[in-house]
Every structure is written in C-alpha cells, then in structure tokens.
C-alpha cells in the first residue's frame, strides 16, 4: 500500500497539474525525442550530435572498461580509479528477456579493432549473470588478441558495481587479473 506521503504528493501533482505536471511531461517528451542510445558504445547521446563517450572523446585511450549499465560507469568515473573508454552493454546475457544480440558485444569487438585497444577490462557484477556475461565476452574477444582482464575476486559475491565503495573498486581495479583462455 502506498504511504500517506506518496498519496499527498500525488494529490498535489493533480491539483497543480498546469504548474507542475505539464512542464514535467513536456521535458520528458523532449528527452524521449532527443536522446537515444549510442549504437556503438551504449552511452546516452543527443540525437543531433555525435557520441561524447566514443566518437567525440578528446582523449585517446588504449583501454576499454566494459560495464553492464550507465550507473556502473558513473561509479567508476567518480572514483577516478580508471582512465579510459567505457562500453555499456545494456544488461547481462541472462537478465530477463535479454538476448545476447541485444547487448552491444559486436560493437565492442569493432571498437577494439578500430581504436587499437590494448586492454579490455571486464567490470561486470560478481553475480552469476555478470560472470556468465564476462565469460562470453572473453570468448568472443579471443580472435582479436587483445589483453582481457577482469576485476579482482575481492568483489563481494553478488556485488553490483554501482553499489561498491571507492576502496573496494580501487583494489578490484588494481588487482585485476588477465584472463588466459585454456583452449587454442
Ligand atoms: Zn558512443
């Protein structure tokens, strides 16, 4: 059941819909119309401009950090642990209703080739879904010969990147380990 504060807020919105609701609906519609997801890196971008995350980035990096969602990118950016490009998958392989093809994995491989990337750091969550996804990406990257590493095992089991404190993130990055495939 909704609590009384939520109901009061709702009543307020309805009573003052011209002053409050209309501008809000208008700006949401604007966002819906003008913002889309970059087909290459998964970041949100303005429809009228290139993507600041992958195209217009003034810095040239040789690393890409792969995350599940934008909140994970923000956590890592805010902690200043990592300097490099980001790649936002848009979920995990096993997350509900997600098919592998919906995740931006093909475009990750394209970016690795196009931008002469030397290291891909997979920063998916320490959940079964996150680790399954990491394994799948590592397998797909095999042919590119790029170095693939994964955040250190110090991540709490079930830990989602966006909810980690800076200290844990820092040591997970610092102690990241290279994934060596045992076949071929
Ligand atoms: Zn992009």
């Amino acid at each position: 059941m909704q609590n009384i504060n939520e109901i009061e807020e709702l009543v307020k919105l309805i009573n003052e819909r011209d002053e409050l609701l209309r501008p809000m609906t208008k700006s949401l519609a604007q966002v819906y119309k003008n913002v889309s997801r970059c087909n290459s890196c998964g970041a949100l971008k303005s429809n009228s401009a290139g993507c600041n995350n992958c195209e217009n980035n003034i810095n040239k990096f040789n690393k890409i950090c792969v995350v599940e969602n934008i909140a994970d990118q923000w956590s890592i950016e805010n902690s200043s642990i990592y300097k490099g490009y980001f790649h936002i998958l848009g979920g995990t392989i096993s997350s509900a209703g997600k098919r592998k093809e919906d995740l931006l994995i093909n475009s990750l491989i394209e970016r690795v080739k196009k931008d002469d990337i030397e290291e891909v750091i997979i920063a998916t969550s320490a959940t079964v879904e996150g680790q399954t996804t990491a394994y799948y990406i590592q397998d797909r990257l095999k042919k590119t010969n790029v170095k693939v590493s994964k955040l250190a095992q110090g991540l709490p089991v079930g830990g989602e990147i966006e909810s980690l404190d800076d200290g844990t993130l820092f040591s997970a990055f610092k102690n990241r380990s290279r994934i060596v495939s045992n076949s071929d």
Side-chain angles (χ1 to χ4, degrees):
M1 202 176 113
Q2 278 173 312
N3 69 39
I4 199 78
N5 284 338
E6 281 173 359
I7 295 171
E8 277 173 7
E9 286 296 318
L10 204 59
V11 169
K12 194 174 164 220
L13 275 178
I14 294 168
N15 284 338
E16 299 173 36
R17 56 187 176 275
D18 280 344
E19 295 81 6
L20 296 173
L21 266 187
R22 186 171 294 164
M24 209 192 281
T25 325
K26 225 172 133 186
S27 42
L28 277 177
Q30 287 289 337
V31 169
Y32 188 76
K33 218 172 81 192
N34 298 326
V35 177
S36 60
R37 197 168 171 231
C38 171
N39 288 332
S40 176
C41 73
L44 294 177
K45 66 183 264 301
S46 153
N47 283 339
S48 54
C51 173
N52 289 330
N53 205 44
C54 68
E55 282 174 56
N56 301 342
N57 205 320
I58 355 149
N59 300 308
K60 284 281 160 255
F61 301 114
N62 59 6
K63 291 189 184 80
I64 293 182
C65 178
V66 180
V67 292
E68 289 171 19
N69 56 55
I70 187 83
D72 294 342
Q73 172 172 344
W74 290 336
S75 301
I76 295 170
E77 266 175 346
N78 288 339
S79 65
S80 317
I81 292 159
Y82 164 78
K83 288 268 166 293
Y85 296 118
F86 281 93
H87 190 87
I88 304 157
L89 292 171
T92 56
I93 284 174
S94 341
S95 52
K98 280 273 180 232
R99 298 177 311 141
K100 284 190 195 103
E101 302 79 65
D102 295 333
L103 301 174
L104 293 180
I105 294 176
N106 290 339
S107 68
L108 171 66
I109 296 165
E110 289 308 309
R111 289 183 74 193
V112 166
K113 292 181 192 159
K114 185 169 69 75
D115 296 326
D116 289 324
I117 297 301
E118 287 168 17
E119 182 181 6
V120 172
I121 303 168
I122 304 178
T124 49
S125 302
T127 55
V128 174
E129 292 85 1
Q131 295 312 300
T132 309
T133 308
Y135 181 79
Y136 178 74
I137 294 172
Q138 175 234 333
D139 196 57
R140 292 285 311 275
L141 284 170
K142 252 186 219 164
K143 287 195 188 90
T144 65
N145 289 324
V146 71
K147 175 180 168 188
V148 182
S149 51
K150 219 170 76 168
L151 294 194
Q153 291 303 313
L155 291 180
V157 171
E160 298 194 329
I161 301 296
E162 62 179 286
S163 58
L164 296 179
D165 62 277
D166 285 3
T168 310
L169 258 183
F170 184 80
S171 72
F173 258 89
K174 204 162 170 275
N175 301 314
R176 68 182 182 269
S177 54
R178 181 168 188 171
I179 309 177
V180 184
S181 45
N182 33 23
S183 62
D184 72 17

